[in-house]
Amino acid sequence: MHLVPNLITIARLIAVPIVIWAIATHDYDTAFWVFVAAGISDAVDGYLAKRFGLETALGAHLDPLADKALLVSVYVTCGIIAAMPVWLVVLVVSRDILIVGAVVLALVMGRPVEMRPLKISKANTFAQILLAGVVLADLAHGLGAGGVRSGLAFLVAGLTGASAAAYVVEWLGHMTDTGNGEPRGVSRPAPPPTGKDRTT
């Protein structure tokens, strides 16, 4: 039973190359519906894991990986076919690279950090999903949503920048904190010598 949410998440990972192939071959209808199905599966596996106590360490790492792989793939592929602004794709991907690099650097320096999702990050992810869905729906069904897409693109850009900044601030706070309220690299002054230590 514990395998069910993880299997759903793995299915979402399998959907990544399908969506890429569908967009690359201009089969936008397939790309849209696979993207929608992936979004529904994300909600389903999350509900099952929490409702029936099926959370696992694997699922905790696999679920955000699947979500990020799908989103980044859609953004990069849509950027290649000019369905999304290239500058936005670069911004979104750069933010993810920045976070991954920060986590790896912290691990290498012996200061492992768990990047917990922030409120701004959750809002950013929601906006990214919404933009991807609108773009794919517009490509598939010709909704004429150019204005909506442009507005969402700027919203995603703002939230992506704010999210990156928030993570950098939190990461820097973690990396410079020694656990006693003092930043790393700052030494406390030596205590005054006792009677035995004093020199005359």
Side-chain angles (χ1 to χ4, degrees), residues 25-84:
T25 58
H26 308 293
D27 186 359
Y28 302 125
D29 195 56
T30 296
F32 171 71
W33 288 113
V34 171
F35 184 79
V36 170
I40 294 174
S41 75
D42 187 23
V44 169
D45 68 27
Y47 171 79
L48 291 176
K50 292 180 180 179
R51 176 66 176 80
F52 299 102
L54 303 177
E55 297 98 335
T56 63
L58 174 62
H61 291 83
L62 198 59
D63 186 68
L65 175 62
D67 294 342
K68 188 55 64 178
L70 182 61
L71 268 179
V72 169
S73 297
V74 169
Y75 272 68
V76 171
T77 311
C78 284
I80 291 173
I81 66 170
M84 281 190 187

Side-chain angles (χ1 to χ4, degrees), residues 44-132:
V44 169
D45 68 27
Y47 171 79
L48 291 176
K50 292 180 180 179
R51 176 66 176 80
F52 299 102
L54 303 177
E55 297 98 335
T56 63
L58 174 62
H61 291 83
L62 198 59
D63 186 68
L65 175 62
D67 294 342
K68 188 55 64 178
L70 182 61
L71 268 179
V72 169
S73 297
V74 169
Y75 272 68
V76 171
T77 311
C78 284
I80 291 173
I81 66 170
M84 281 190 187
V86 174
W87 60 266
L88 178 63
V89 176
V90 171
L91 179 62
V92 168
V93 174
S94 296
R95 177 243 185 211
D96 292 338
I97 293 175
L98 175 67
I99 292 176
V100 171
V103 171
V104 172
L105 180 59
L107 187 62
V108 170
M109 293 178 65
R111 300 275 291 176
V113 55
E114 183 179 352
M115 302 299 284
R116 52 190 176 83
L118 306 176
K119 289 183 178 180
I120 186 66
S121 177
K122 292 179 180 180
N124 180 45
T125 299
F126 176 77
Q128 288 185 7
I129 292 173
L130 183 59
L131 174 59

